[in-house]
Amino acid sequence: MLAAAGILLFIGLGFVDFLSRVPPAEEKPSRNADGIVVLTGGSSRVSDALELLSVGYGRRLLISGVHPTSGYSDIQRTLPDSQRLLACCVDLDRSAVNTRSNATETRRWATERGFHSLIVVTSNYHMPRAIVELSHSMPDIELVPFAVVGEKWREEPWWTSGAALRLLLSEYAKYLFAQTRVAFGGVGQGGMPEIGAPPSPSKPATASAN
């Protein structure tokens, strides 16, 4: 019983620590960076990343995790004002299928561009795990988080929503797995699907879905 209580206490305290790393509101990046990377798969991530690029927070943007069949025209259809930026300053990564491979492809892109700092754009609940994976993949690059907060998070506290609580618990489990894997030398890093994740996106990751 004592052992079980200790495990529950450890998990509970860990969840509290995880919640402290989930930004409750959107804040401007603390500084400019060489580049910007947005990880697809959440409300308004791509549009927010393009807005940061448009005002000069970074010189170039990587959209990581785009569906293999999607292209610049798909993003332009959902974000008509993005044509100029897409033509000059945006790269698409179609190889990444999960957060680990996002980190791998981002490292390759940043190295090729000679970037030493990146603004990371993803949903607030995903940011802790994204930083773990990206920091492990490229420890020599400074990461500046920009957390996107969806409308549902603004409208009601997460503890009043069963769906939000389930999402946070699921993300916490993945965060713990990522931390453990990194602590033991990054076993399994690369393009292997995450626990509970499909091997590839089921629909195009265009701006409207991100």
Side-chain angles (χ1 to χ4, degrees), residues 46-202:
V46 171
S47 58
D48 283 8
L50 284 166
E51 183 176 350
L52 292 177
L53 181 66
S54 70
V55 296
Y57 273 102
R59 302 199 301 270
R60 198 162 188 89
L61 168 66
L62 173 67
I63 305 177
S64 180
V66 176
H67 192 276
T69 62
S70 296
Y72 292 100
S73 59
D74 297 291
I75 298 174
Q76 188 178 331
R77 275 197 296 271
T78 54
L79 297 171
D81 296 334
S82 64
Q83 181 177 2
R84 179 184 62 83
L85 291 173
L86 290 171
C88 76
C89 312
V90 176
D91 299 306
L92 303 184
D93 156 41
R94 298 183 178 87
S95 300
V97 296
N98 56 37
T99 308
R100 293 201 297 273
S101 50
N102 282 142
T104 300
E105 296 306 317
T106 300
R107 179 188 63 205
R108 180 179 295 114
W109 176 78
T111 300
E112 290 174 352
R113 297 284 176 183
F115 289 166
H116 300 287
S117 59
L118 295 175
I119 292 175
V120 180
V121 180
T122 190
S123 297
N124 60 338
Y125 59 84
H126 183 235
M127 186 63 75
R129 180 161 59 104
I131 293 299
V132 167
E133 297 287 6
L134 289 164
S135 297
H136 177 62
S137 185
M138 41 189 177
D140 55 335
I141 293 180
E142 181 182 358
L143 304 176
V144 181
F146 177 80
V148 177
V149 180
E151 291 184 6
K152 286 191 291 187
W153 296 86
R154 299 191 189 109
E155 293 172 354
E156 58 182 351
W158 62 265
W159 57 86
T160 65
S161 168
L165 178 59
R166 287 191 296 273
L167 175 62
L168 283 170
L169 289 172
S170 173
E171 190 60 38
Y172 173 53
K174 295 176 183 178
Y175 170 72
L176 287 180
F177 178 78
Q179 280 196 317
T180 302
R181 182 179 51 76
V182 166
F184 284 94
V187 177
Q189 183 176 359
M192 295 297 292
E194 297 170 350
I195 291 178
S200 61
S202 58

Side-chain angles (χ1 to χ4, degrees), residues 1-8:
M1 289 179 63
L2 287 175
I7 291 172
L8 289 175

Side-chain angles (χ1 to χ4, degrees), residues 8-19 21 172 175-176:
L8 289 175
L9 178 62
F10 174 79
I11 293 174
L13 291 176
F15 186 58
V16 171
D17 176 71
F18 168 76
L19 291 175
R21 300 172 187 271
Y172 173 53
Y175 170 72
L176 287 180

